[in-house]
Amino acid sequence: MLGKRVFVFLRDGKILNLSRGATVIDAAFQIHTEVGMRMCGVEINGEPAALSYELRNGDMVSVLTSPDARPETEWMRFATSRSTRAKLRTYFRDNQRKAL
């Protein structure tokens, strides 16, 4: 099981248990859906990183949020977990309906 998982640390010392290949977007949505929806950037081990960054064991993840931030459709390319993709799909579908 350990070979199929990746364990990362959050700023507050909590540990996230994610599937191997998980990206920063998956981590943000695992913390909380609102954290994922309001994410505007991320720091890995104290350095800015791309949202497509594939997490490795022992990474220290700090998700930066903003009340004005919104998910972008490009995020779907980087989301690896089924639950993250489902949440993003629902968000984009709802916004598309509101626009009509």
Side-chain angles (χ1 to χ4, degrees), residues 1-14:
M1 177 172 158
L2 222 61
K4 296 180 181 180
R5 308 303 292 174
V6 62
F7 298 91
V8 298
F9 298 94
L10 301 179
R11 260 191 316 222
D12 61 3
K14 290 184 182 176

Side-chain angles (χ1 to χ4, degrees), residues 6 11 17 19 32 41 49 52 54 56 84-87 94 100:
V6 62
R11 260 191 316 222
N17 177 356
S19 296
H32 195 280
S52 60
E54 189 174 313
R56 298 184 205 127
T84 300
R85 287 193 312 267
K87 291 172 186 174
D94 290 347
L100 296 177

Side-chain angles (χ1 to χ4, degrees), residues 83-99:
S83 65
T84 300
R85 287 193 312 267
K87 291 172 186 174
L88 286 170
R89 227 182 342 266
T90 301
Y91 171 81
F92 295 129
R93 193 176 304 130
D94 290 347
N95 277 357
Q96 190 175 24
R97 285 184 188 142
K98 288 177 187 175

Side-chain angles (χ1 to χ4, degrees), residues 21-36:
T23 63
V24 173
I25 295 171
D26 297 311
F29 276 91
Q30 173 127 6
I31 294 167
H32 195 280
T33 302
E34 282 303 309
V35 172

